[in-house]
């Protein structure tokens, strides 16, 4: 069965410093992985997706993620945090042969001035 | 592109009342999903449709919940009778094709008193 584990429920960084949000996945075969962001009182917005092409995936707003099969990880990074990055981030795996998305529990990112 | 449109944005009602949530997917998208988000359980897929046909409703919590998609541009999620434990944010999402990312609406925040 497919699953994702987000290793941190809360991350706090200072504006201008790097962001690292960690995600490990479990999958019986090559997975499709996504990162979504949710700002307060809004729906989820796709940041980036991995679908077995390049292992380093670039997304919107300067975010990127690297698929590492040996570590079963798909960590989200950004070189320099901005105040507008404060939100909740979800690591997601597509489940099996269906179009079901399986969501992680989320990481709440706080950005301090 | 108007995005996925949900209504109402907020609903407060008393226990036992019927609640109807509405969703207009992105034009041309052939998949539509209903999710529920709570603090305790995170994001859960309730049901999804392909070309207006329900494909998987295994996530619907009980018979009080029902969903319909009478045409390609409209879907409803109904709860009858509503209970306080149904309080949550309900999201609708749509996608074009099975392998494409899902686009989320801004959600309906439902409070059952």
């Amino acid at each position: 069965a497919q699953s994702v584990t987000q290793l941190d429920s809360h991350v706090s960084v200072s504006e201008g410093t790097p962001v690292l949000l960690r995600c490990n996945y479990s999958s019986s075969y090559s997975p499709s992985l996504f990162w979504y962001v949710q700002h307060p009182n809004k729906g989820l917005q796709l940041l980036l997706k991995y679908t077995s092409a390049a292992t380093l995936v670039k997304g919107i707003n300067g975010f990127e993620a690297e698929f590492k099969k040996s570590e079963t990880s798909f960590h989200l990074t950004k070189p320099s945090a901005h105040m507008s990055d404060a939100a909740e981030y979800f690591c997601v795996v597509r489940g099996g042969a269906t179009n079901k998305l399986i969501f992680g529990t989320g990481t709440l990112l706080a950005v301090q001035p | 592109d108007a995005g996925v449109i949900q209504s109402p944005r907020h609903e407060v009602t008393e226990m036992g009342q019927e609640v109807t949530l509405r969703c207009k997917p992105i034009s041309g998208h052939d998949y539509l999903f209903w999710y529920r988000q709570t603090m305790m359980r995170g994001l859960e897929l309730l049901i999804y449709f392909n070309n207006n046909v329900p494909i998987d409703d295994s996530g619907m919590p009980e018979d009080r919940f029902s969903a319909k998609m009478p045409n390609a541009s409209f879907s409803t999620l109904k709860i009858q009778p509503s209970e306080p434990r149904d309080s949550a944010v309900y999201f609708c999402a749509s996608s074009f094709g099975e392998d494409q990312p899902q686009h989320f609406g801004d959600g309906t925040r439902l409070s059952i008193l």
Side-chain angles (χ1 to χ4, degrees):
Chain A
Q2 322 288 88
S3 67
V4 288
T5 302
Q6 293 186 244
L7 300 169
D8 307 293
S9 59
H10 293 81
V11 170
S12 182
V13 300
S14 297
E15 190 174 21
T17 64
V19 176
L20 169 64
L21 305 183
R22 298 182 295 164
C23 173
N24 285 5
Y25 70 90
S26 173
S27 175
S28 54
Y29 50 89
S30 183
S32 293
L33 292 159
F34 309 81
W35 277 98
Y36 279 82
V37 61
Q38 184 179 26
H39 288 91
N41 300 314
K42 302 291 280 185
L44 282 75
Q45 180 185 16
L46 180 68
L47 277 179
L48 50 82
K49 63 176 180 177
Y50 166 78
T51 53
S52 72
T55 56
L56 183 61
V57 182
K58 293 188 183 299
I60 62 171
N61 301 335
F63 284 94
E64 61 182 37
E66 186 171 7
F67 174 75
K68 291 187 176 179
K69 186 175 182 179
S70 60
E71 299 177 10
T72 61
S73 69
F74 191 57
H75 302 334
L76 181 70
T77 61
K78 182 174 181 177
S80 176
H82 191 273
M83 294 297 290
S84 61
D85 295 328
E88 189 157 22
Y89 292 79
F90 292 91
C91 183
V92 184
V93 64
R94 191 191 304 281
T98 72
N99 201 26
K100 288 184 179 182
L101 296 184
I102 298 168
F103 290 81
T105 50
T107 297
L108 191 61
L109 176 65
V111 182
Q112 309 299 329
Chain B
D1 186 349
V4 175
I5 299 173
Q6 292 187 245
S7 64
R9 288 297 315 277
H10 303 273
E11 175 92 13
V12 180
T13 191
E14 292 187 347
M15 184 175 75
Q17 297 297 306
E18 179 179 288
V19 173
T20 299
L21 311 182
R22 297 172 175 80
C23 174
K24 177 179 169 56
I26 292 173
S27 178
H29 282 191
D30 56 349
Y31 281 82
L32 183 139
F33 306 82
W34 282 102
Y35 291 89
R36 180 171 66 176
Q37 185 178 37
T38 61
M39 289 292 293
M40 292 297 295
R41 300 174 68 91
L43 268 156
E44 304 172 277
L45 177 66
L46 300 178
I47 184 172
Y48 77 94
F49 296 81
N50 176 218
N51 291 324
N52 314 338
V53 176
I55 302 300
D56 186 342
D57 65 354
S58 59
M60 296 287 261
E62 47 197 279
D63 292 346
R64 298 184 296 106
F65 286 69
S66 62
K68 294 182 179 180
M69 193 165 185
N71 57 62
S73 59
F74 183 65
S75 178
T76 60
L77 177 67
K78 189 172 292 187
I79 309 172
Q80 167 63 21
S82 58
E83 297 183 3
R85 60 193 168 117
D86 302 330
S87 299
V89 182
Y90 290 81
F91 288 102
C92 177
S94 69
S95 68
F96 177 62
E98 188 171 11
D99 296 332
Q100 296 306 307
Q102 295 177 20
H103 298 259
F104 284 75
D106 286 342
T108 295
R109 184 172 296 275
L110 177 64
S111 297
I112 308 297
L113 306 177

